[in-house]
Amino acid sequence: FKQIGFNKFSDEEIEVPENAVAQAFPPDWWISEFFVDAKKKRLVPDLSEFAEVPSGKPYRIEDNGGMAFVTYVDAGKDGRVLSVSVYKKPTMGYIDDTDWDGGRSVRQADP
């Protein structure tokens, strides 16, 4: 299928040109060599460290183009702010997608 844009391909099949040259895939180590930082560890939430689990609508605070902080603003029915929690995005590790669901933790740290 012919690529017509980013993640967009034509519906019609086309034949591979006769002058096409097969390319070898990079070796298995290639991905980890260039895209994995072995110094970072997997981070999982430990809600026992929070005085209170953050609630409210999450907002991101961008710092020089990157999301360095997340804040939760909990407003009452009358619109008055009841609480605000601000958390810094960690830089010494990574968060696996399976540990989070819409910004909320779905997996906690092992005791």
Side-chain angles (χ1 to χ4, degrees):
F1 297 96
K2 182 177 180 182
Q3 181 179 4
I4 56 176
F6 182 73
N7 283 341
K8 293 182 181 179
F9 299 88
S10 69
D11 293 332
E12 301 173 12
E13 291 186 32
I14 59 170
E15 290 187 30
V16 176
E18 289 183 22
N19 62 348
V21 177
Q23 297 289 322
F25 285 107
D28 290 340
W29 59 263
W30 185 80
I31 292 285
S32 60
E33 177 78 15
F34 292 100
F35 299 104
V36 175
D37 185 350
K39 294 179 282 189
K40 291 190 176 186
K41 63 179 184 169
R42 182 177 182 180
L43 302 176
V44 291
D46 183 0
L47 298 181
S48 67
E49 292 187 11
F50 293 104
E52 183 179 311
V53 177
S55 62
K57 185 174 180 181
Y59 295 90
R60 64 182 181 185
I61 301 172
E62 294 186 4
D63 179 27
N64 197 22
M67 188 177 86
F69 300 91
V70 175
T71 185
Y72 293 92
V73 178
D74 191 5
K77 292 181 181 181
D78 59 358
R80 293 185 322 161
V81 174
L82 301 176
S83 67
V84 175
S85 304
V86 180
Y87 299 95
K88 183 172 181 167
K89 184 177 177 185
T91 57
M92 76 288 196
Y94 67 93
I95 300 171
D96 192 276
D97 288 342
T98 60
D99 292 338
W100 295 89
D101 179 19
R104 298 281 190 225
S105 168
V106 295
R107 179 180 184 272
Q108 291 190 24
D110 298 325

